[in-house]
């Protein structure tokens, strides 16, 4: 944890001097000769990529980009050589923290830029190491671990300061060699070190947020018992913090469980592990607390608690801190992980942000912002909608990642865990009522799939077998299994009402459907616990399905599991956005198997790019690959990938040319753009089994469509709705007119109708950003690409890779002379690919919208009788905000979330004093309550507004998130578009 003086200081000039500086950097980190040769070799092989991509890497100067690339090379060499070092019983002697300090980078900036480095250097890493290099780097897992520790350290600090006094100096003399700042007390630091010991020795591989939060709560309980009363922030006899009391005194664990939404059984189990570590590491003898007489135990029911004499004595505490630090050093030695002790100090340079641009935020500034920006308070979303008079409604807590994890974990514990691990009698009737009893098939499949997701023997290649891992995995597996059976039963009940019968063979015999349900159940369990070691899309890889497959069951989960907490509903909404915006368009997506049926003219392009999905692996293959024991389970027939067979459901996903689909249906040049009524009718009549049926089957809802066409129409309508939301949000940031907004949206519609190949293997935001600039050019607006990117960077979904790295597959005869596939910046993509493809569409935008306006009356008469072969441009859809939520039981007070894009407009100097935003003061006021009082006084002192707010016509959240189709509405016609030069001079976006 000591600082290393940065050695990279001069600007980039040529490869030779760069190699010299990199070699000096390696020597400063004491690399052994073998690691030094490997690092220099990788740097030498990749330095041309650094020089060629200076404009799209990082956000600072050329020198800073060189530091970033050097850190990436060292990290890659260290991580990819770990197995060899273990075999040689040697270590390279440097850690990630040392790398970052030597290159003067923060952790935030490093993880922000590493994905771009991986993208540029991937082919070289693939050649020098192996094709599994990206998995072995574990960048996503390490980044998630950093985020988790940041959240946990903030939770611990808030909780500690709530209960204990944070002295300006240590209790005794600060431990020699300790790296913590002076304002962190020994008690505070001791608790964090004991927690890290729990993470290292007790939590093993599965370091999920909920488990770690329980660990911190157990540490707080141990501190309560041992820290002197004089350091408490409250009187235990009258404190509301510890509300659970009995005739024996304060029930400490029950009070903490009630305050932090955890289980007493789990908390006691974690405390036992922590107490055992104190015995093993600190060599302390323990006693039943009921036998000890000390001031810190007064007024506490000590039954079942453990006490250690002189554990926090001011003379011995520094010595115990040294022992815990040594234990941590020994446990993580030669592991390329962050030193987790640094999270105790918010002012550490590694935790700063913006170091690449020279705008690092200091710890003191963050501390000031934390004080001046109160934490948002919400009511518990345990069982939405919640009655204002219910206990859950009145229970308030800070909305943080930790509190969210604890709340959702409580839902699993109270609602799902008590359920049976076998199908209920009602679900059993549905399973046995099929053409063949599928009960055994369902249970066997669930055992194999969930066994692959939650392995109880080992976690991938990182960890060995341990009893702790097995117990954790079995608990999560049971939660996912019970949730799967619960939602499956609700879906069967709903489908039986649609089909007027209990025979649901087309659905319950569909392999892909069940795997999607199991994957969604497992993902919700993992999202609840926020498991670092198992992150999405791991569930897709282990179940053999694709993102497009999973998107088909998300809506069903939300609709049929009414008790799903609000945060998990939000998680599924965010997950669906990820699937729609990019994952469903990636290479290997099963979406292309449906698309090639719905639009056979795209077969050549899909095959040229190699986008088709691999066949779905059999259950036996999954069980063998993940070492899932299948003893005692009946064998399941192998899946036949036959186009003519619909029994196992879904697309056959052939990895071959698909010209044979042309004989299945009439050639079509574009998708239909269904009206709202038509789409809602389609979704209501389309049974769930039709969504998973073979793409070539006729749609049971009628209309002469195949299942592929009906499914793709629903998918495309969701894409258009998501595009509309993002177009509106970015337009508001750019303060563009309604005409421009509608023109951009119309262009996106036209691209989907006529040039949908532009979306292949790309992010929809890349198409939206280019559409903004294209419309700005034909509208003769003074809007630069740099301004568009600058505004986009402030969008909540923004990722720098969206505009820095766009996939391009150059045709053989391209005028630039480029060949093959590569990733380019968005300006190159705009000039070389986007404009040549959409220039005719830009000219058509005005005429298409004007025609729609002139023929609106006629269209309304035609209704659903429109020929599906005729594309039609819909106006910009109506996008209501999420409905206001009543937040007061006794008053008519509602709160509606404010879109971030409106914040700048609302908080202008002329209107700012009339708005109060959570976490931001209106003027120089001292607290939100005083802000609101001042605002009320101003409003009440002026002209009074008569009338009452009407909330009768609120739009529900489900309606907003549900109907994803263009809706008819008023619009302003555009003026005619003349021929313009749509290309742009190369202009570096604000990266």
């Amino acid at each position: 944890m000591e600082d290393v003086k940065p050695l990279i200081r001069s600007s980039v000039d040529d490869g030779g001097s760069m190699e010299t500086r990199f070699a000096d950097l390696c020597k400063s980190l004491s690399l052994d000769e073998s690691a030094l040769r490997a690092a220099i070799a990788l740097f030498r092989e990749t330095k041309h990529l650094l020089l060629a991509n200076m404009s799209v890497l990082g956000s600072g100067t050329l020198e800073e980009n060189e530091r970033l690339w050097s850190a990436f090379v060292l990290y890659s060499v260290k991580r990819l050589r770990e197995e060899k070092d273990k075999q040689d019983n040697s270590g390279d002697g440097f850690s990630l923290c040392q790398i970052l300090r030597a290159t003067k980078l923060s952790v935030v900036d490093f993880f922000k830029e590493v994905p771009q480095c991986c993208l540029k250097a991937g082919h070289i890493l693939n050649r020098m190491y192996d094709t599994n290099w990206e998995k072995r780097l574990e960048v996503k897992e390490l980044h998630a671990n950093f985020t988790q520790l940041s959240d946990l350290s903030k939770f611990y600090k808030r909780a500690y300061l709530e209960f204990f006094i944070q002295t300006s100096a240590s209790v005794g003399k600060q431990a020699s060699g300790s790296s913590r700042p002076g304002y962190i007390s020994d008690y505070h630091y001791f608790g964090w070190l004991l927690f890290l010991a729990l993470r290292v020795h007790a939590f093993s591989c599965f370091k999920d947020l909920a488990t770690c939060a329980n660990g911190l709560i157990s540490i707080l309980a141990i501190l309560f018992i041992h820290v002197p009363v004089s350091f408490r922030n409250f009187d235990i006899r009258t404190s509301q913090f510890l509300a659970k009391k009995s005739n024996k005194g304060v029930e400490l664990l029950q009070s903490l469980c009630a305050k932090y939404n955890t289980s007493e059984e789990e908390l006691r189990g974690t405390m036992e592990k922590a107490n055992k570590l104190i015995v093993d590491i600190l060599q302390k003898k323990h006693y039943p607390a009921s036998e000890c007489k000390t001031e810190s135990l007064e007024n506490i029911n000590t039954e079942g608690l453990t006490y250690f004499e002189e554990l926090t004595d001011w003379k011995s505490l520094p010595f115990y801190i040294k022992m815990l630090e040594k234990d941590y050093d020994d446990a993580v030695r030669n592991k390329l992980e962050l030193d987790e002790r640094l999270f105790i100090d918010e002012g550490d340079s590694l935790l700063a942000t913006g170091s690449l641009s020279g705008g690092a935020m200091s710890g003191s500034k963050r501390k000031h912002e934390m004080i001046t920006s109160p934490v948002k308070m919400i009511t518990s979303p345990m069982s939405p909608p919640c009655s204002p008079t219910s206990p859950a409604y009145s229970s308030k807590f800070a909305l943080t990642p930790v509190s969210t994890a604890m709340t959702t974990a409580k839902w699993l514990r109270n609602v799902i865990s008590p359920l049976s691990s076998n199908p209920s009698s009602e679900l059993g009737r549905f399973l046995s009522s099929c053409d063949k009893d599928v009960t055994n098939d369902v249970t066997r499949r669930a055992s194999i799939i969930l066994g692959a997701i939650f392995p109880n023997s080992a976690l991938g290649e990182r960890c060995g077998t341990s009893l702790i891992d097995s117990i954790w995995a079995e608990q999560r597996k049971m939660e996912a299994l019970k949730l799967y059976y619960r939602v499956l039963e609700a879906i069967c009940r709903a489908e039986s009402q649609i089909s007027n019968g209990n025979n649901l063979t087309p659905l319950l015999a569909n392999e892909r459907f069940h795997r999607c349900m199991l994957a969604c159940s497992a993902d919700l369990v993992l999202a609840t616990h926020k498991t670092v070691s198992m992150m999405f899309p791991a569930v897709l890889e282990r179940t053999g399905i694709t993102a497009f497959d999973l998107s088909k069951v998300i809506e069903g989960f939300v609709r049929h599991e009414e008790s799903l907490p609000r945060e998990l509903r939000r998680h599924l909404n965010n997950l669906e956005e990820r699937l729609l915006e990019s994952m469903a368009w990636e290479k290997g997506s099963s979406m292309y198997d449906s698309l090639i049926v719905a639009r056979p003219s795209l077969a050549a392009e899909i095959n040229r790019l190699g986008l088709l999905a691999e066949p779905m692996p059999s259950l036996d293959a999954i069980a063998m690959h993940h070492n899932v024991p299948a003893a005692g389970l009946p064998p399941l027939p192998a899946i036949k990938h036959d186009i003519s067979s619909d029994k196992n459901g879904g697309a056959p996903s052939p990895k071959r040319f698909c010209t044979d689909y042309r004989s299945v249906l009439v050639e079509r040049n574009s998708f239909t753009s269904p009206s709202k009524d038509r789409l809602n009718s389609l979704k209501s009549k389309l049974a769930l089994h039709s969504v998973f049926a073979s793409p070539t089957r006729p749609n049971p809802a009628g209309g002469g469509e195949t299942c592929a066409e009906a499914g793709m129409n629903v998918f495309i309508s969701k894409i258009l709705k998501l595009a509309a939301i993002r177009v509106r949000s970015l337009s508001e940031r750019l303060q563009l007119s309604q005409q421009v907004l509608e023109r951009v949206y119309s262009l996106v519609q036209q691209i989907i109708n006529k040039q949908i190949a532009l979306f292949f293997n790309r992010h929809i935001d890349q198409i939206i950003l280019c559409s903004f600039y294209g419309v700005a050019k034909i509208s003769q607006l003074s809007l630069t690409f740099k301004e568009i990117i600058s505004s986009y960077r402030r969008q909540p979904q923004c990722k720098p890779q969206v505009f820095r790295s766009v996939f391009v597959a150059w045709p053989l005869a391209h005028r630039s002379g480029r060949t093959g596939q590569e990733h380019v910046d968005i300006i190159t993509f705009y000039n070389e690919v986007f404009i040549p493809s959409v220039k005719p569409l830009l000219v058509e935008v005005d005429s298409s919208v004007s025609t729609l306006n002139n023929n609106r009356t006629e269209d309304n008469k035609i209704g659903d009788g429109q020929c599906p072969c005729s594309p039609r441009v819909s106006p910009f859809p109506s996008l209501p905000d999420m409905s206001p939520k009543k937040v007061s039981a006794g008053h008519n007070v509602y709160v509606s979330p404010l879109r971030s894009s409106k914040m700048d407009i609302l908080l202008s100097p002329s209107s700012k004093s009339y708005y109060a935003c959570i976490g931001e003061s209106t003027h120089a006021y001292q607290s939100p309550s005083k802000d609101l009082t001042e605002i009320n006084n101003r409003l009440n002192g002026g002209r009074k507004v008569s009338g009452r707010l009407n909330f009768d016509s609120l739009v529900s959240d489900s309606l907003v998130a549900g109907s994803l189709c263009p809706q008819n509405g008023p619009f302003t016609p555009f003026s005619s578009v003349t021929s313009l030069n749509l290309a742009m001079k190369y202009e570096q976006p604000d990266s």
Side-chain angles (χ1 to χ4, degrees):
M1 296 178 66
E2 63 178 311
D3 263 327
V4 180
K5 185 177 180 181
L7 295 177
I8 299 177
R9 49 192 176 274
S10 58
S11 60
V12 175
D13 43 12
D14 60 71
S17 57
M18 279 173 34
E19 282 191 40
T20 301
R21 289 191 294 272
F22 182 75
D24 292 340
L25 175 65
C26 293
K27 292 176 183 178
S28 72
L29 292 171
S30 303
L31 271 69
D32 60 41
E33 190 170 341
S34 175
L36 178 62
R37 285 197 305 268
I40 292 178
L42 181 57
F43 188 85
R44 184 175 294 134
E45 287 288 324
T46 60
K47 67 182 179 183
H48 70 281
L49 298 174
L50 170 62
L51 294 171
N53 292 281
M54 281 292 185
S55 60
V56 296
L57 284 175
S59 56
T61 65
L62 301 181
E63 176 193 349
E64 290 166 345
N65 286 344
E66 183 184 341
R67 290 192 276 113
L68 168 66
W69 195 267
S70 299
F72 165 70
V73 169
L74 286 169
Y75 173 81
S76 300
V77 169
K78 173 72 173 180
R79 179 65 81 183
L80 298 178
R81 283 173 48 85
E82 276 186 346
E83 290 185 8
K84 183 178 183 302
D85 292 335
K86 289 178 183 178
Q87 295 172 359
D88 297 341
N89 197 26
S90 63
D92 294 335
F94 64 95
S95 65
L96 177 58
C97 286
Q98 289 176 309
I99 294 173
L100 296 181
R101 292 192 193 281
T103 52
K104 207 174 182 181
L105 294 171
S106 73
V107 180
V108 173
D109 287 325
F110 177 74
F111 284 122
K112 177 183 176 182
E113 303 298 335
V114 160
Q116 185 74 1
C117 297
C118 290
L119 197 61
K120 298 299 181 183
H123 64 286
I124 294 178
L125 291 172
N126 190 67
R127 171 168 52 84
M128 295 184 66
Y129 292 93
D130 56 49
T131 56
N132 202 32
W133 64 266
E134 189 169 10
K135 183 178 181 181
R136 289 166 56 195
L137 280 183
E138 296 182 336
V139 173
K140 292 180 180 179
E141 290 81 359
L142 203 57
H143 189 192
N145 188 56
F146 166 76
T147 303
Q148 183 187 95
L149 281 164
S150 298
D151 295 332
L152 288 168
S153 65
K154 293 173 184 176
F155 167 79
Y156 175 60
K157 181 178 180 179
R158 281 193 298 268
Y160 184 91
L161 293 180
E162 191 174 19
F163 293 116
F164 302 103
I165 298 172
Q166 183 71 293
T167 57
S168 58
S170 298
V171 178
K173 185 178 179 181
Q174 184 166 301
S176 176
S178 176
S179 58
R180 73 187 188 280
Y183 61 83
I184 301 296
S185 73
D186 278 346
Y187 299 134
H188 190 173
Y189 188 51
F190 173 79
W192 184 252
L193 287 177
L194 191 55
F195 165 69
L196 295 184
L198 267 176
R199 276 177 59 90
V200 170
H201 299 291
F203 298 159
S204 191
C205 297
F206 298 104
K207 298 180 176 71
D208 66 274
L209 190 60
T211 301
C212 289
N214 269 326
L216 281 174
I217 296 170
S218 70
I219 299 302
L220 287 173
I222 292 174
L223 293 178
F224 264 117
I225 297 172
H226 295 88
V227 171
V229 174
S230 59
F231 286 90
R232 289 178 182 169
N233 245 343
F234 60 93
D235 186 342
I236 195 171
R237 295 169 296 183
T238 59
S239 172
Q240 296 180 351
F241 295 146
L242 304 176
K244 300 292 183 179
K245 300 178 182 179
S246 67
N247 55 357
K248 295 182 179 180
V250 170
E251 299 291 342
L252 179 60
L253 299 191
Q254 290 183 18
S255 298
L256 292 174
C257 289
K259 181 176 178 61
Y260 296 112
N261 277 330
T262 189
S263 159
E264 184 175 354
E265 180 183 358
E266 293 179 4
L267 185 57
R268 286 188 182 275
T270 309
M271 278 193 70
E272 289 178 5
K273 296 175 184 177
N275 290 333
K276 186 177 184 302
L277 288 174
I278 295 175
V279 173
D280 295 341
I281 299 175
L282 304 183
Q283 302 297 308
K284 292 291 295 180
K285 187 176 181 180
H286 62 91
Y287 301 90
S290 57
E291 299 178 2
C292 301
K293 301 297 181 181
T294 178
E295 186 181 12
S296 60
L297 293 175
E298 290 180 1
N299 300 305
I300 294 179
N301 181 7
T302 56
E303 185 176 347
L305 300 180
T306 301
Y307 185 77
F308 298 91
E309 289 185 351
E310 299 181 352
L311 180 66
T312 56
D313 181 75
W314 69 272
K315 294 181 179 179
S316 57
L317 186 59
F319 175 69
Y320 294 146
I321 287 176
K322 281 185 180 181
M323 294 179 69
L324 287 173
E325 285 188 326
K326 182 180 183 301
D327 176 78
Y328 181 82
D329 286 331
D330 294 340
V332 302
R333 180 174 289 117
N334 294 328
K335 290 185 179 180
L336 192 59
E337 297 181 355
L338 289 169
D339 189 329
E340 298 170 347
R341 290 170 294 186
L342 66 88
F343 288 91
I344 202 70
D345 177 17
E346 293 180 344
D348 194 293
S349 60
L350 291 184
L351 302 181
T353 58
S355 63
L356 279 179
S357 57
M361 183 184 293
S362 66
S364 59
K365 181 177 179 180
R366 283 197 307 275
K367 183 177 180 181
H368 171 74
E369 290 190 352
M370 185 180 296
I371 296 174
T372 57
S373 301
V375 178
K376 181 179 179 181
M377 302 299 292
I378 66 166
T379 55
S380 175
M382 276 298 303
S383 301
C386 187
S387 170
T389 59
S390 67
Y393 188 91
S394 59
S395 174
K396 294 186 177 181
F397 59 91
L399 179 61
T400 66
V402 173
S403 64
T404 297
M406 301 305 286
T407 303
T408 52
K410 183 178 180 179
W411 170 76
L412 275 180
R413 186 170 60 249
N414 293 348
V415 179
I416 303 302
S417 292
L419 300 176
S420 171
S421 58
N422 296 309
S424 66
S425 57
E426 183 178 3
L427 178 58
R429 284 195 297 271
F430 285 118
L431 298 177
S432 60
S433 298
C434 296
D435 295 344
K436 183 196 77 169
D437 190 342
V438 297
T439 303
N440 288 337
D441 296 348
V442 168
T443 55
R444 178 181 187 272
R445 181 188 299 108
S447 178
I448 292 176
I449 294 298
L450 294 179
I453 297 174
F454 302 105
N456 57 11
S457 59
L459 182 62
E461 302 172 358
R462 287 182 24 163
C463 303
T465 303
S466 76
L467 179 61
I468 297 172
D469 293 339
S470 298
I471 294 174
W472 187 96
E474 189 63 26
Q475 289 173 341
R476 304 293 83 79
K477 178 180 176 180
M478 284 297 102
E479 289 170 347
L481 180 66
K482 294 172 182 179
L483 178 59
Y484 161 67
Y485 285 146
R486 177 184 172 97
V487 180
L488 180 61
E489 179 182 330
I491 289 177
C492 288
R493 198 179 300 119
E495 290 292 307
S496 66
Q497 294 175 358
I498 296 176
S499 61
N500 296 320
N502 289 337
N503 190 336
L504 303 177
T505 301
L507 179 67
L508 296 179
N510 190 293
E511 179 73 18
R512 197 177 295 268
F513 163 72
H514 285 288
R515 293 198 192 187
C516 291
M517 291 288 294
L518 289 164
C520 195
S521 299
D523 179 72
L524 284 174
V525 170
L526 292 169
T528 292
H529 293 276
K530 291 183 170 55
T531 311
V532 171
S533 303
M534 182 71 68
M535 299 171 59
F536 190 84
V539 292
L540 300 183
E541 301 164 1
R542 293 172 182 261
T543 54
I545 62 174
T546 72
F548 181 69
D549 296 328
L550 185 62
S551 68
K552 298 176 183 178
V553 300
I554 290 179
E555 184 178 349
F557 249 86
V558 175
R559 183 189 304 132
H560 295 292
E561 183 45 63
E562 296 181 354
S563 71
L564 204 64
R566 187 181 185 90
E567 287 303 319
L568 288 183
R569 291 173 183 268
R570 185 176 294 116
H571 165 78
L572 289 178
N573 179 69
N574 293 337
L575 178 60
E576 186 174 38
E577 280 198 18
R578 286 181 61 187
L579 303 180
L580 293 174
E581 70 184 10
S582 62
M583 295 187 70
W585 300 98
E586 290 175 356
K587 180 179 179 180
S589 171
S590 59
M591 183 270 295
Y592 293 107
D593 299 307
S594 295
L595 182 59
I596 212 168
V597 175
R599 183 100 57 94
S601 61
L602 294 169
E605 181 67 7
I606 291 174
N607 285 310
R608 182 181 76 86
L609 298 175
L611 300 176
L612 288 173
E614 296 284 352
M616 186 169 65
S618 67
L619 285 176
D620 290 337
I622 291 177
M624 183 178 299
H625 182 70
H626 296 286
N627 298 318
V628 179
L633 293 174
L636 193 67
I639 298 174
K640 297 180 181 180
H641 299 287
D642 189 349
I643 296 176
S644 62
S645 174
D646 300 326
K647 183 176 180 180
N648 292 304
S653 303
K655 196 70 174 178
R656 55 182 174 78
F657 290 103
C658 293
T659 55
D660 51 340
Y661 283 125
R662 291 182 177 275
S663 61
V664 177
L665 70 162
V666 178
E667 176 81 24
R668 292 196 175 175
N669 295 321
S670 65
F671 288 108
T672 60
S673 296
S675 66
K676 177 181 179 180
D677 293 336
R678 180 176 181 275
L679 183 62
N680 287 340
S681 175
L682 171 69
K683 293 173 73 175
S684 63
K685 295 179 181 178
L686 189 61
L688 187 57
H689 72 83
S690 301
V691 177
F692 287 92
S694 174
T696 59
R697 287 190 61 184
N699 178 16
E705 295 179 317
T706 62
C707 289
E709 290 175 291
M712 286 304 301
N713 277 330
V714 174
F715 174 73
I716 292 301
S717 69
K718 291 183 179 182
I719 294 292
L720 285 173
K721 189 61 173 284
L722 179 61
I725 293 171
R726 295 190 174 179
V727 166
R728 180 184 67 175
S729 180
L730 189 54
S731 295
E732 289 172 350
R733 287 200 184 277
L734 292 167
Q735 300 186 29
L736 300 177
S737 67
Q738 182 70 14
Q739 279 192 347
V740 175
L741 179 151
E742 291 177 352
R743 184 173 283 190
V744 172
Y745 177 71
S746 178
L747 177 59
V748 173
Q749 282 191 92
Q750 290 281 45
I751 293 173
I752 288 180
N753 281 334
K754 300 180 179 180
Q755 291 289 344
I756 195 172
L758 282 175
F759 286 85
F760 292 176
N761 214 14
R762 298 189 181 107
H763 195 292
I764 68 167
D765 286 357
Q766 294 167 343
I767 308 304
I768 291 174
L769 292 174
C770 290
S771 298
F772 265 97
Y773 189 76
V775 168
K777 292 286 282 186
I778 66 170
S779 304
Q780 302 183 26
L781 299 178
S782 58
L783 181 65
T784 65
F785 224 129
K786 184 175 182 179
E787 292 172 328
I788 295 172
I789 296 299
S790 178
S791 294
Y792 175 73
R793 287 174 63 87
R794 298 162 64 191
Q795 295 291 95
Q797 81 278 6
C798 173
K799 294 181 180 178
Q801 285 69 37
V802 169
F803 51 83
R804 293 180 182 173
S805 184
V806 188
F807 171 79
V808 172
W810 302 106
L812 294 177
H814 193 267
R815 58 186 174 83
S816 66
R818 297 181 177 182
T819 58
Q821 300 179 356
E822 64 174 322
H823 288 80
V824 299
D825 63 81
I826 196 166
I827 293 177
T828 301
F829 168 74
Y830 175 87
N831 284 328
E832 302 293 337
V833 179
F834 183 82
I835 283 301
S837 300
V838 307
K839 188 172 182 179
L841 301 183
L842 278 166
V843 178
E844 290 180 12
V845 165
D846 175 68
S847 59
S848 298
V849 178
S850 298
T851 301
L852 177 65
N853 184 52
N854 295 333
N855 295 300
R856 182 180 302 278
T857 304
E858 185 176 350
D859 285 345
N860 290 336
K861 292 179 181 179
I862 294 175
D864 292 342
Q866 179 187 355
C867 174
C869 297
S870 304
R872 114 185 199 179
V873 178
S874 302
F876 191 82
S878 174
L879 298 175
D881 287 328
M882 300 301 282
S883 61
K885 179 180 179 181
K886 191 169 184 177
V887 294
S888 172
H891 301 281
N892 218 16
V893 179
Y894 291 79
V895 173
S896 181
L898 176 66
R899 295 202 306 273
S900 57
S901 57
K902 285 186 174 181
M903 183 72 74
D904 296 337
I905 300 174
L906 290 179
L907 298 185
S908 61
S910 60
S911 61
K912 184 172 182 178
S913 61
Y914 291 98
Y915 294 91
C917 296
I918 295 175
E920 181 168 347
S921 182
T922 55
H923 279 64
Y925 305 129
Q926 297 178 1
S927 69
S929 61
K930 292 183 179 180
D931 287 348
L932 293 172
T933 301
E934 181 66 21
I935 292 170
N936 288 335
N937 291 339
R938 293 190 185 189
L939 294 176
N940 294 333
R943 180 178 62 88
K944 292 189 178 292
V945 180
S946 59
R948 304 177 66 182
L949 293 177
N950 181 16
F951 289 97
D952 295 335
S953 59
L954 294 181
V955 180
S956 67
D957 292 356
S958 59
L959 179 60
V960 175
S963 179
L964 300 176
C965 64
Q967 302 174 20
N968 293 329
F971 69 98
T972 305
F974 302 132
S975 59
S976 60
V977 182
T978 58
S979 178
L980 294 174
N981 177 19
L982 299 174
M984 65 171 294
K985 295 180 180 180
Y986 197 92
E987 157 198 328
Q988 176 59 36
D990 184 12
S991 59

